[in-house]
Amino acid sequence: FTYPVLQSADILLYKSTHVPVGEDQIQHLELAQDIARSFNNQYGCFFPIPKAILSETKKIKSLRNPVAKMSKSDPQTLATVNITDTPEEILLKFRKAVTDFTSEVTYDPETRPGVSNLVAVHTAVTGMTVEEVVQQSKGLETARYKYVVAEAVIEKFAPIKNEIERLRAEKGFLEQVLNRGAEKARELAGPMYHDIRKLVGFS
């Protein structure tokens, strides 16, 4: 219950005008908008009303339940692919991905959500269109196609995963980045916090 309020505070404290959000975060942004309007009505026009910047990226579904969104909080470890997963883990997750009994690669999210989700993942990591992926995969059984998608994901994630591992090894550098970010945030937020307290009569 506190997360949406804290998110609203993060948005408003820096007088954000536009916020990149996913569709599932729209309600949280609407809360920030409501708080801004309520504050402005009571204390004068102070906060801009933040607008949503919606991503055009397609949602990737769970590998174990292809009608639900893939989520890092999913208790099923085989449902979600993480950037930091090993190639072996990624391969296993796609091999265990839920599909159906039709051994053909097609894209029809309504009737074949499992295979369609694999196609969506494939397009996301390769930049190909759905039509190109389906055409390229003609003649492949879904079992074999799972390996094709897994290999494409592994290839896409490899340089990102390597960079993450490199940065994790440089703790001193990461601490410097965090400290610089915290200092910059304080410089921006300090005057705003002071003005808000003054407006509401706390100082």
Side-chain angles (χ1 to χ4, degrees), residues 43 193-203:
Y43 299 105
Y193 181 63
H194 174 76
D195 290 345
I196 293 168
R197 287 178 59 88
K198 190 173 180 180
L199 279 172
V200 301
F202 286 172
S203 61

Side-chain angles (χ1 to χ4, degrees), residues 122-138:
H122 201 176
T123 63
V125 298
T126 62
M128 292 191 293
T129 65
V130 168
E131 292 75 18
E132 288 171 336
V133 165
V134 171
Q135 179 63 32
Q136 187 184 84
S137 306
K138 272 189 175 180

Side-chain angles (χ1 to χ4, degrees), residues 5-43:
V5 177
L6 292 173
Q7 186 183 49
S8 296
D10 282 338
I11 292 168
L12 298 177
L13 188 57
Y14 301 97
K15 285 194 170 182
S16 304
T17 58
H18 294 78
V19 183
V21 292
E23 289 182 10
D24 57 339
Q25 295 285 309
I26 286 291
Q27 285 185 320
H28 294 175
L29 182 60
E30 288 174 347
L31 174 61
Q33 293 170 338
D34 289 343
I35 292 172
R37 290 191 187 97
S38 178
F39 188 95
N40 291 346
N41 288 338
Q42 188 165 354
Y43 299 105

